[in-house]
Amino acid sequence: MSFRIPLWEEIMEFRQLRYFLAVAEELHFGRAATRLDMAQPPLSRQIAALEEDLGAQLFDRSRSQIRLTQAGLVLREHARQLIERVDAARRETRLVGAGGAGRLRVAFVGSASHGLLPMLIKDYRSAYPDVELALSAMNNAELQRALVTREIDIAVARPELKDDEFRRELLCRERLMLAIPDNSPLAAQCEVRFADLSGQNFVLYPRRPRPGYADLVLSICEQEGVKPGNLELTQDFQSAISLVSVGVGLSVVPESVSSTTRPGVVYRHYQGHNPGTALTVHARLDNRAPQVVNFLETTRKFVRAGQSGAA
């Protein structure tokens, strides 16, 4: 037993639809052939073959003019819709394939919401306005897991994620500062000696995993001979700043955080060991999606522009 492809699927190639639509809109075989950049006889043969395969006359022909039949009018409307949809699909597919549309999932540590990251996101949105950005905040452990499991495309970590399967772009390096309750005597000082902070309550983050950013601060305490009066560990940056604002203790934060005011909190530079911190943009080595490649390239351009501006 043999199976025959349905007649409509067999004959209705988009090339034929374009030929028909050109004639239907020009109502003149010569003009339609010129529009299609082809000779008139092959075009006439294509239309005649289409009419034969459909079993319907599409044009009333006379010496002076041609007109669409009722069947031709019906096909014209369908042809326009089909060709518009195919052209739109082609444009959108090409755009997504080039990274100019589609979706990009970016996650970042909470403290990155201050400083350069918002400006980098703005630059990327400006360059690729049709890409849907899905933004979320995570700690480093969550970033690592989400990038490994492909739940996100880009991870912005502090200072970086350790994994040979990740590529990375350094976004910035910055110094550390003190975040102090505004009712603390330390708030009246323009600059504070870190070595004088023994007995002060410290609010650090994250609670886990360890080691983490909290251990960086504790290493500064150890080097400066500082013994915190009480150590309050919270899960993320926002929680830590909230506790500082209500007087639970002081914290050590990236300098960029001080650009955003928070009621109940003042920021002070300190004298003493300051290893600084960094923000690094990561992506999987095997993720070659154009949206990811474009984001990393935008990061490189953003950093170069910042460096030249600083110079």
Side-chain angles (χ1 to χ4, degrees):
M1 174 186 262
S2 63
F3 292 91
R4 179 170 173 77
I5 298 174
L7 182 62
W8 183 262
E9 296 182 15
E10 183 179 8
I11 63 172
M12 291 302 291
E13 298 178 3
F14 284 106
R15 175 174 55 87
Q16 290 177 306
L17 284 180
R18 291 186 187 279
Y19 290 164
F20 163 77
L21 192 58
V23 178
E25 290 178 344
E26 297 291 342
L27 293 179
H28 191 282
F29 277 90
R31 289 195 299 269
T34 300
R35 170 174 157 180
L36 294 167
D37 194 23
M38 64 185 299
Q40 182 176 332
L43 175 60
S44 298
R45 289 194 295 270
Q46 287 284 344
I47 298 300
L50 180 60
E51 289 178 318
E52 181 180 352
D53 288 334
L54 285 174
Q57 184 178 353
L58 301 175
F59 297 98
D60 284 330
R61 298 166 175 84
S62 70
R63 292 183 179 180
S64 59
Q65 65 177 0
I66 64 172
R67 293 180 300 172
L68 284 164
T69 64
Q70 291 187 41
L73 289 169
V74 170
L75 182 58
R76 183 184 64 182
E77 295 311 307
H78 285 291
R80 281 175 175 168
Q81 293 175 24
L82 287 169
I83 290 173
E84 286 173 1
R85 290 177 62 183
V86 169
D87 288 344
R90 181 182 290 112
R91 288 193 302 271
E92 186 174 346
T93 300
R94 286 176 175 172
L95 189 60
V96 172
R103 191 166 187 259
L104 184 68
R105 301 163 299 174
V106 180
F108 50 88
V109 291
S111 60
S113 59
H114 306 269
L116 294 181
L117 181 60
M119 291 185 282
L120 171 61
I121 295 294
K122 184 177 180 180
D123 275 12
Y124 180 79
R125 283 190 185 278
S126 178
Y128 303 99
D130 294 323
V131 175
E132 176 192 351
L133 276 179
L135 304 175
S136 57
M138 300 181 181
N139 61 37
N140 273 10
E142 293 167 335
L143 289 172
Q144 179 103 15
R145 178 194 58 76
L147 207 53
V148 167
T149 58
R150 304 178 188 274
E151 295 173 32
I152 60 174
D153 304 301
I154 296 289
V156 184
R158 187 182 295 281
E160 66 175 344
L161 303 178
K162 303 290 187 180
D163 195 308
D164 292 339
E165 296 302 313
F166 297 163
R167 46 189 161 153
R168 52 188 55 81
E169 295 289 339
L170 177 67
L171 179 56
C172 67
R173 296 188 186 277
E174 55 186 316
R175 293 173 61 79
L176 299 174
M177 293 186 70
L178 299 176
I180 303 170
D182 63 0
N183 60 357
S184 167
L186 294 171
Q189 302 180 32
C190 294
E191 193 168 74
V192 180
R193 292 179 68 247
F194 201 98
D196 295 336
L197 297 180
S198 284
Q200 294 287 332
N201 295 333
F202 277 68
V203 181
L204 303 181
Y205 61 93
R207 182 183 302 111
R208 58 181 180 275
R210 304 290 292 275
Y213 179 77
D215 297 280
L216 170 67
V217 178
L218 291 175
S219 70
I220 301 174
C221 291
E222 183 177 358
Q223 183 160 337
E224 293 291 326
V226 170
K227 293 185 178 181
N230 185 50
L231 189 59
E232 183 75 30
L233 289 173
T234 186
Q235 193 51 34
D236 54 40
F237 161 76
Q238 297 293 348
S239 300
I241 290 297
S242 294
L243 292 178
V244 172
S245 71
V246 296
V248 172
L250 61 85
S251 189
V252 180
V253 299
E255 188 172 23
S256 57
V257 172
S258 65
S259 64
T260 304
T261 59
R262 174 69 179 265
V265 181
V266 296
Y267 299 96
R268 293 290 181 266
H269 292 283
Y270 68 82
Q271 298 175 7
H273 179 55
N274 195 326
T277 184
L279 276 179
T280 308
V281 178
H282 305 75
R284 291 178 59 101
L285 282 171
D286 60 359
N287 188 346
R288 304 302 302 177
Q291 293 81 4
V292 171
V293 173
N294 290 344
F295 190 91
L296 294 175
E297 178 59 26
T298 300
T299 301
R300 287 190 286 270
K301 290 179 180 178
F302 180 85
V303 171
R304 287 197 298 267
Q307 289 174 340
S308 62

